[in-house]
Amino acid sequence: MRISKWRLCLIIKRQYSGSSKPSQYSGSSKPSQYSGSSKPNLTAWFNKYVDKADVSSWNSVIADLARSGNSVEALRAFSSMRKLSLTPNRSSFPCAIKSCSALLDLHSGRQAHQQALVFGFESDLFVSSALIDMYCRSGLLRDAWKLFDEIPHRNVVSWTSMITGCLLNDHTRQALLLFKELLVDEFDNEDVSLDPVVLVSVLSACSRVSSKGLTQCVHGLVMTRGFDEDLGVGNTLMDAYAKCGELGLSRKVFDGMAQRDLVSWNSMIAIYAQSGLSNEALDVFYGMVKEGDFLYNAVTLSAVLLACAHAGALLVGQCIHDQVVKMGLEENVIVSTSIIDMYCKCGRVGMARKAFDCMKEKNVKTWTAMVAGYGMHGRAKEALEVFYKMISHGIKPNYITFVSLLNACSHAGLLAEGWYWFNTMNHEFGVKPGIEHYGCMVDLLGRAGDLTKAYDLIKGMTMRPDSVVWGSFLGACRIHKNVKLAEISARKLFELDPNNCGYYILLSNIYADAGRWEDVEKMRLLMKNRGLAKPPGFSVVELKGMVHLFLVGDREHPQHKKIYEYLEKLTIKLQEAGYAPDMASVLHDVDEEEKEMTLRVHSEKLAVAFGIMNSVPGTTIQIIKNLRVCADCHTVIKLISKVVNREIVVRDSKRFHHFRDGLCSCGDFW
């Protein structure tokens, strides 16, 4: 009686199952935890189904167990073979060594290496390649290099093992240099020929160095060698172009793929979502659903939820949440954390908290998402409460957790709490303050009016301040009208980020507030000479599943006449409630009447008016603004919320504002 090889492996797996996980392997006379000696039926099975003296039979068993992911059982089988004093051949070692790699069992790997050397197989290409991979995965790149250098005639497997090993140990440029050597070796060595596996490794290296030219060169090789239809190569190529910022080329690769798998669709959705191109991400997702060839998974839904978070697409996000429940993915920590993030960024922090409380398992990212969510909504006390609960549950906060916490303190003006955790995070939790933490503290000190202390903190930083730090400081100088420190900050910003027109405009406004009109004109000329123009402000409101976008003075919307008529009536009511236009929000060299008219047609006011006109009384209006909301619009929306008895939620570039009964959640601190 004979049985198939896969069936035999299943039998052996069952024979080996239940043993404790070993920590070392012995392939000769020493007893081993992999030996399986406590399994009395093993010999009976082999006597019945296999010629136990046949090394090839053992090799087949070892190989199938290793390939199916049963590394422990594979090593036990190898140990059992050696206990029978059988002489292994060149096929006995590669899968045994790969099993050592999978288990990160360096001790067993070294013993396997020693036996390969004893039996004369160290120079065998497949054995040496497996050893190189094992040493690389164990972090011993020097040992891997030594083996690689001693191979007299390499094949593509040897090259791939070493290139991949360099990547595993973050030696990306060395991996690329090796690939160049491989191409040279290919001309002289018939055993070396490019294959999809090595190209995937090289493209992974390209994605790390973010070089468009390099990626295009490898892409050219892919095309000329006929590997453009390989799925693994195509998927990795998409990622490499995306890491270079070439999303158009990523999409071109995606569209040109003869066939796609789930990884292809997930990659394209994630590429768009992570780049803030939410509409494009959702379009790809809809295309995936329409084709119907693949059932989306947790990775897909996490990427789509990220797109919804960026776009503020609450209705779509809720539909995805429903799908998560239907698929039974609520207990998936990654998906549930994405749901929390989505609700927070869509202005529904209460729904985010409900999802958070329903989670049975939470990791540091989950807790951090909730802290960040409360922080961006100006609810610093709740953020601190979640943070304290996180610590009490034994979850150690990380770098991002403290960024979120300090950001929450900054948004709420909690100076004492911010200082405490900034000074405590290192010695209590081992998290050294980074540039983002300094940025939060500069913002917090600046908003509190302590510009001198904020400037001293910047000067005392252990790393070079970036544009975010200096930008926060410049904004604080505008609030407190400190021209001298504003000029210092602006000079640094013009060096670090010379093409960001926002800094020029901010300094120009500071000069205008101080009545320094010549300097205002100088700033405008400087912007003109450098070809800089302010990006147009826009506001977005989602109603009944449709997204409506408004620009300043928008006349393109189908309801624009009704919107302006409604705003006129609303303005009268606001003036009766004590509203007076804040002219500081407009350019200083236009007359007062023109200033007032300009203020009336700001995009967020148009969006709010449209939302009120087209929604049921009492419902919440939600607006997304791409720039920081101006002071006048902030005042107007506070009054509108009281006049029309509505809650209005505005997400600007800085934070969330919840307007209700004439007040804002930010406490006018933004």
Side-chain angles (χ1 to χ4, degrees):
M1 178 183 175
R2 291 286 171 183
I3 60 173
S4 62
K5 191 165 64 175
W6 71 267
R7 176 65 178 163
L8 177 61
C9 287
L10 181 61
I11 292 169
I12 293 171
K13 179 182 176 183
R14 288 172 178 168
Q15 287 292 313
Y16 289 137
S17 63
S19 300
S20 60
K21 185 177 178 180
S23 62
Q24 70 178 45
Y25 146 79
S26 173
S28 55
S29 58
K30 291 182 181 180
S32 168
Q33 292 185 47
Y34 292 147
S35 64
S37 58
S38 62
K39 301 295 181 180
N41 292 330
L42 179 61
T43 304
W45 280 110
F46 270 85
N47 285 335
K48 189 171 182 179
Y49 296 117
V50 190
D51 180 1
K52 65 178 182 179
D54 182 15
V55 173
S56 296
S57 297
W58 283 101
N59 289 347
S60 296
V61 170
I62 295 166
D64 279 4
L65 288 170
R67 288 166 187 157
S68 64
N70 298 316
S71 301
V72 171
E73 288 83 352
L75 288 179
R76 287 201 179 105
F78 184 73
S79 177
S80 296
M81 180 189 76
R82 292 293 297 120
K83 284 181 67 107
L84 294 173
S85 299
L86 294 177
T87 302
N89 59 25
R90 65 187 298 269
S91 300
S92 304
F93 287 99
C95 288
I97 295 168
K98 287 178 182 177
S99 297
C100 297
S101 298
L103 296 169
L104 297 179
D105 189 348
L106 179 61
H107 181 79
S108 299
R110 286 195 184 279
Q111 288 195 340
H113 185 181
Q114 184 181 22
Q115 289 197 44
L117 185 64
V118 168
F119 287 101
F121 296 120
E122 186 191 35
S123 60
D124 180 88
L125 284 172
F126 291 99
V127 174
S128 58
S129 297
L131 286 168
I132 289 169
D133 179 70
M134 185 270 295
Y135 282 123
C136 287
R137 290 183 186 278
S138 300
L140 299 175
L141 196 61
R142 184 176 297 179
D143 290 26
W145 270 116
K146 184 179 178 183
L147 273 169
F148 182 75
D149 289 338
E150 290 173 354
I151 300 174
H153 299 287
R154 300 162 184 149
N155 64 5
V156 69
V157 179
S158 313
W159 285 101
T160 303
S161 296
M162 199 64 237
I163 290 170
T164 306
C166 287
L167 282 177
L168 286 171
N169 290 275
D170 295 324
H171 289 251
T172 306
R173 296 195 177 275
Q174 190 63 54
L176 292 169
L177 290 172
L178 268 176
F179 180 63
K180 288 177 68 176
E181 291 181 32
L182 182 156
L183 294 177
V184 173
D185 193 29
E186 189 182 23
F187 284 103
D188 304 320
N189 188 347
E190 61 181 15
D191 291 328
V192 177
S193 180
L194 291 184
D195 66 6
V197 180
V198 71
L199 287 169
V200 165
S201 294
V202 173
L203 286 168
S204 297
C206 293
S207 71
R208 295 191 188 184
V209 297
S210 302
S211 169
K212 176 186 174 183
L214 189 58
T215 303
Q216 286 179 316
C217 287
V218 179
H219 190 182
L221 271 175
V222 168
M223 300 292 290
T224 55
R225 300 298 181 89
F227 295 118
D228 49 309
E229 293 188 2
D230 183 88
L231 268 174
V233 172
N235 291 337
T236 314
L237 187 57
M238 284 165 53
D239 181 66
Y241 275 129
K243 295 287 173 57
C244 302
E246 296 292 335
L247 273 62
L249 292 175
S250 287
R251 183 58 186 263
K252 191 174 180 180
V253 171
F254 177 78
D255 290 337
M257 294 174 77
Q259 57 177 345
R260 306 183 186 105
D261 60 5
L262 185 58
V263 175
S264 312
W265 288 100
N266 287 350
S267 296
M268 198 67 245
I269 294 168
I271 285 168
Y272 278 137
Q274 291 165 7
S275 302
L277 299 174
S278 300
N279 290 335
E280 289 82 350
L282 293 174
D283 284 342
V284 175
F285 176 64
Y286 297 148
M288 176 186 179
V289 174
K290 189 176 180 181
E291 282 201 10
D293 293 335
F294 301 101
L295 181 64
Y296 40 83
N297 60 8
V299 177
T300 320
L301 297 181
S302 294
V304 175
L305 285 165
L306 177 61
C308 294
H310 284 318
L314 179 62
L315 291 179
V316 179
Q318 287 175 317
C319 290
I320 299 299
H321 188 181
D322 291 341
Q323 193 60 37
V324 167
V325 174
K326 289 176 183 177
M327 294 174 66
L329 294 173
E330 308 102 301
E331 296 306 315
N332 184 299
V333 178
I334 296 173
V335 174
S336 294
T337 302
S338 298
I339 289 171
I340 292 167
D341 181 63
M342 181 273 295
Y343 278 128
C344 287
K345 290 177 179 173
C346 287
R348 298 294 189 270
V349 70
M351 296 175 76
R353 183 57 188 261
K354 285 181 181 178
F356 177 82
D357 289 338
C358 287
M359 290 178 66
K360 294 179 182 178
E361 181 185 348
K362 304 178 182 77
N363 62 16
V364 65
K365 291 182 180 179
T366 311
W367 289 94
T368 299
M370 200 65 247
V371 172
Y374 276 129
M376 69 178 72
H377 286 271
R379 296 169 64 172
K381 290 183 179 178
E382 288 95 332
L384 285 164
E385 172 212 324
V386 172
F387 178 74
Y388 296 143
K389 189 177 286 188
M390 172 186 180
I391 295 171
S392 70
H393 279 69
I395 305 295
K396 183 182 177 181
N398 63 15
Y399 187 96
I400 303 300
T401 310
F402 281 106
V403 173
S404 302
L405 185 69
L406 294 176
N407 197 43
C409 294
S410 175
H411 282 166
L414 301 181
L415 185 58
E417 289 85 348
W419 262 120
Y420 174 79
W421 287 112
F422 180 76
N423 293 319
T424 303
M425 55 189 283
N426 187 15
H427 70 258
E428 190 167 327
F429 296 101
V431 179
K432 292 183 178 180
I435 200 152
E436 292 87 355
H437 304 111
Y438 277 100
C440 291
M441 290 309 301
V442 168
D443 187 61
L444 179 53
L445 288 165
R447 290 178 186 277
D450 200 341
L451 295 179
T452 302
K453 197 168 186 178
Y455 186 43
D456 289 341
L457 183 65
I458 294 173
K459 291 189 292 184
M461 286 174 63
T462 55
M463 70 286 292
R464 187 188 182 195
D466 66 358
S467 58
V468 175
V469 174
W470 285 113
S472 296
F473 190 58
L474 182 62
C477 292
R478 166 76 193 278
I479 293 171
H480 300 288
K481 305 183 187 306
N482 191 313
V483 179
K484 182 180 178 181
L485 290 177
E487 289 177 326
I488 294 172
S489 179
R491 280 197 294 270
K492 295 291 185 179
L493 288 165
F494 297 160
E495 293 174 10
L496 292 167
D497 194 3
N499 295 321
N500 189 326
C501 66
Y503 303 134
Y504 299 84
I505 293 169
L506 196 52
L507 183 59
S508 176
N509 288 336
I510 292 170
Y511 283 142
D513 286 338
R516 292 171 54 171
W517 302 109
E518 289 184 7
D519 290 319
V520 171
E521 188 60 29
K522 286 179 182 178
M523 293 309 302
R524 292 188 183 179
L525 287 174
L526 184 60
M527 286 181 64
K528 185 178 179 180
N529 293 336
R530 295 186 177 182
L532 301 176
K534 181 181 179 181
F538 65 82
S539 296
V540 173
V541 57
E542 182 185 7
L543 283 175
K544 301 173 184 176
M546 295 289 292
V547 175
H548 301 264
L549 185 145
F550 294 90
L551 299 172
V552 177
D554 203 314
R555 298 278 176 180
E556 298 297 321
H557 195 277
Q559 294 188 38
H560 72 270
K561 289 184 179 179
K562 292 182 179 179
I563 292 170
Y564 285 115
E565 288 173 5
Y566 182 76
L567 269 177
E568 285 294 329
K569 295 176 183 177
L570 203 54
T571 301
I572 294 171
K573 293 182 179 179
L574 297 180
Q575 289 172 341
E576 290 173 354
Y579 165 66
D582 183 353
M583 303 302 187
S585 300
V586 198
L587 294 174
H588 288 257
D589 58 349
V590 295
D591 60 44
E592 296 300 308
E593 185 177 353
E594 187 178 347
K595 287 180 181 181
E596 187 171 348
M597 290 305 298
T598 302
L599 287 172
R600 287 187 187 182
V601 295
H602 276 192
S603 64
E604 51 266 60
K605 290 172 184 166
L606 300 178
V608 167
F610 172 79
I612 295 170
M613 290 167 51
N614 292 275
S615 60
V616 179
T619 57
T620 300
I621 306 297
Q622 181 144 335
I623 310 295
I624 297 176
K625 175 74 186 286
N626 69 321
L627 303 175
R628 179 182 180 273
V629 64
C630 76
D632 184 74
C633 287
H634 193 268
T635 300
V636 166
I637 298 172
K638 280 198 300 183
L639 290 171
I640 289 175
S641 71
K642 185 175 183 179
V643 169
V644 302
N645 193 26
R646 294 282 195 102
E647 180 180 2
I648 303 169
V649 180
V650 178
R651 185 180 98 183
D652 69 5
S653 61
K654 295 289 184 181
R655 59 175 297 154
F656 274 89
H657 302 263
H658 292 257
F659 299 94
R660 187 189 294 120
D661 297 327
L663 300 173
C664 180
S665 60
C666 74
D668 300 334
F669 190 89
W670 89 104

